[in-house]
Amino acid sequence: NSTGSPGGKTGSPSDISNCMGCHSDAGAGDGADISTNIPNDGYTPGSTYSITVSSAVTSFTPHGFEFTCEDNTNNKVGSFSITNSTLTQFVNNGNAITHTPSGSSSSSWSFDWIAPPSGTGNITFYTAIIQGGYPMGQNTGDLFSSSSLTFNEAIINTANNLEIEEDFFFNSKLKIVNLL
């Protein structure tokens, strides 16, 4: 679909379906890649991260994709921010990103993801990519790839510093029970 995914086609647990619902005869593609600047120790709640989804095959056009994020209980989490409206747009009630008509000639798409609130736990990104064959619109010769990537929620220690001021005129005691 050169205008973008109809939504709910990432293959995530809550989407259930992927591109193969419409492109049932698609062969195996050469891969879908998800890259991000989320640190290895996990995402920080409320922080914004860059995401890039790309197809391993760049000579095959058109390309289409859909990308979403879910927590361990299959709820859509976080939110997205469009950084290039020429190539990407919202889909699935804003819970996913897909290509635009202009974006179907690209093999790489970038956007931002704003991490969910504290306590969400592990999250998983899901993406599905279809590479259209010829003749266009016939769903023949298509290639399908998908990928997922999981991150933990970073553990933030809010008690980083402890300051003690002395007052030589009074006797006082300080008892630290727990800094966490």
Side-chain angles (χ1 to χ4, degrees):
N1 189 344
S2 65
T3 61
S5 170
K9 303 294 183 193
T10 65
S12 72
S14 73
D15 285 349
I16 302 168
S17 184
N18 60 34
C19 303
M20 297 291 286
C22 296
H23 301 266
S24 58
D25 68 340
D30 289 329
D33 184 54
I34 301 169
S35 58
T36 181
N37 61 343
I38 296 174
N40 289 336
D41 60 347
Y43 71 89
T44 301
S47 294
T48 300
Y49 297 99
S50 300
I51 309 267
T52 299
V53 173
S54 55
S55 171
V57 176
T58 58
S59 60
F60 221 80
T61 60
H63 289 88
F65 86 105
E66 186 179 341
F67 181 93
T68 196
C69 181
E70 294 181 7
D71 65 13
N72 287 340
T73 57
N74 307 331
N75 294 306
K76 303 288 185 184
V77 292
S79 59
F80 296 102
S81 175
I82 301 293
T83 57
N84 184 340
S85 61
T86 302
L87 300 180
T88 57
Q89 63 185 334
F90 296 110
V91 68
N92 203 9
N93 297 319
N95 290 314
I97 299 286
T98 189
H99 61 283
T100 63
S102 296
S104 67
S105 62
S106 182
S107 60
S108 180
W109 307 270
S110 295
F111 45 90
D112 285 345
W113 177 72
I114 300 94
S118 179
T120 300
N122 294 353
I123 56 94
T124 302
F125 295 129
Y126 298 90
T127 195
I129 295 178
I130 195 76
Q131 299 151 286
Y134 185 81
M136 290 295 301
Q138 299 299 310
N139 292 347
T140 57
D142 299 343
L143 300 176
F144 170 74
S145 300
S146 64
S147 184
S148 63
L149 185 60
T150 299
F151 286 96
N152 297 319
E153 180 177 337
I155 297 171
I156 308 298
N157 183 359
T158 56
N160 291 333
N161 299 315
L162 175 64
E163 293 183 24
I164 300 173
E165 293 183 21
E166 290 187 44
D167 186 339
F168 292 106
F169 297 107
F170 298 98
N171 268 338
S172 59
K173 291 182 181 180
L174 174 66
K175 181 179 180 182
I176 300 174
V177 177
N178 188 351
L179 287 177
L180 298 179

